[in-house]
Amino acid sequence: GAVVSQHPSRVICKSGTSVKIECRSLDFQATTMFWYRQFPKKSLMLMATSNEGSKATYEQGVEKDKFLINHASLTLSTLTVTSAHPEDSSFYICSAREDRGLEKLFFGSGTQLSVL
Amino acid sequence: GENVEQHPSTLSVQEGDSAVIKCTYSDSASNYFPWYKQELGKGPQLIIDIRSNVGEKKDQRIAVTLNKTAKHFSLHITETQPEDSAVYFCALPRSQAGTALIFGKGTTLSVSS
């Protein structure tokens, strides 16, 4: 299947700092990527839809100024957690599907964010 | 929007036994039904999917069955092995094709040897 690469896999930061997470589609183009958040022993919750060349679409309750999404190319989307606080600690996962219309959604390996 | 209910939340089996996880949904327009496996600390991995024009799909020890009339689809794992231990999620497209997936609450499968 298609490969989605996500970095870093783990990050620890101090309160008030910003953290950037990268998501790359390695062997396909992805006009649309999705960012999910997952708390321990819980399901994946959609945070936002990242659209190449335009603004991201955020789910209800997700602060767009807190979670900045940039989709600058057909293979790269970034999520920046700004002014991180302990409650932002979570597992963040990106996903993408091939532009050629297939339905399969592939996921990155996730980023465990711990805010001290 | 679409809703998906997944059961059971936990499932413990002996190695070699079969495991079945079921998901029910509400939107009769749903036409794509994937299953994901998530190991600890990793992203979900697509293990099998089915479209609404077929009732069953099999890939070695894994199969998915779909009952569109009753609006449920199930994951079947035969001859379970310890490495099958993981969290399994069913998912559905939220609305039309090309949109995000919404996920069931997950089933923690434990296979003991």
Side-chain angles (χ1 to χ4, degrees):
Chain A
V3 178
V4 176
S5 175
Q6 184 174 343
H7 293 281
S9 58
R10 180 176 295 272
V11 58
I12 302 172
C13 69
K14 293 181 179 179
S15 283
T17 60
S18 294
V19 173
K20 180 184 282 188
I21 303 169
E22 288 191 350
C23 180
R24 293 180 186 272
S25 55
L26 292 189
D27 50 0
F28 65 98
Q29 292 185 336
T31 301
T32 302
M33 294 185 180
F34 305 98
W35 287 94
Y36 288 81
R37 184 174 183 177
Q38 187 178 33
F39 290 107
K41 299 187 185 299
K42 297 293 185 183
S43 187
L44 285 79
M45 298 299 297
L46 179 67
M47 297 175 65
T49 300
S50 172
N51 304 297
E52 188 269 336
S54 64
K55 291 183 180 180
T57 305
Y58 291 83
E59 294 300 299
Q60 190 173 7
V62 177
E63 299 175 59
K64 65 180 191 307
D65 294 330
K66 159 71 77 176
F67 300 101
L68 298 179
I69 291 173
N70 184 276
H71 195 145
S73 77
L74 287 173
T75 59
L76 173 64
S77 175
T78 60
L79 169 68
T80 301
V81 183
T82 63
S83 186
H85 290 285
E87 57 266 29
D88 298 324
S89 299
S90 189
F91 193 55
Y92 294 88
I93 319 171
C94 70
S95 63
R97 65 164 53 88
E98 296 181 64
D99 273 352
R100 53 192 175 113
L102 302 179
E103 289 161 314
K104 298 180 192 292
L105 194 63
F106 298 97
F107 285 80
S109 53
T111 298
Q112 181 63 53
L113 171 63
S114 299
V115 185
L116 305 178
Chain B
E2 183 54 88
N3 235 353
V4 58
E5 298 265 342
Q6 182 172 345
H7 295 282
S9 56
T10 60
L11 180 58
S12 296
V13 299
Q14 290 286 322
E15 183 176 3
D17 288 349
S18 295
V20 181
I21 304 168
K22 181 177 177 179
C23 281
T24 58
Y25 60 97
S26 55
D27 186 355
S28 57
S30 296
N31 59 10
Y32 176 65
F33 308 89
W35 283 93
Y36 287 83
K37 174 183 181 182
Q38 186 179 30
E39 297 178 338
L40 193 62
K42 297 184 179 179
Q45 176 191 6
L46 178 66
I47 56 172
I48 197 166
D49 56 4
I50 194 171
R51 298 209 71 219
S52 57
N53 55 345
V54 297
E56 182 175 0
K57 182 177 176 181
K58 194 172 181 181
D59 182 4
Q60 299 184 342
R61 297 187 296 107
I62 294 172
V64 54
T65 58
L66 171 65
N67 184 325
K68 287 216 74 177
T69 304
K71 296 182 191 173
H72 64 72
F73 58 112
S74 298
L75 176 70
H76 303 255
I77 306 175
T78 58
E79 300 172 36
T80 54
Q81 301 167 3
E83 50 264 39
D84 294 329
S85 297
V87 182
Y88 292 82
F89 292 96
C90 63
L92 289 170
R94 186 163 64 168
S95 55
Q96 70 272 22
T99 59
L101 295 178
I102 59 166
F103 285 79
K105 291 189 175 181
T107 297
T108 300
L109 173 65
S110 301
V111 181
S112 52
S113 54

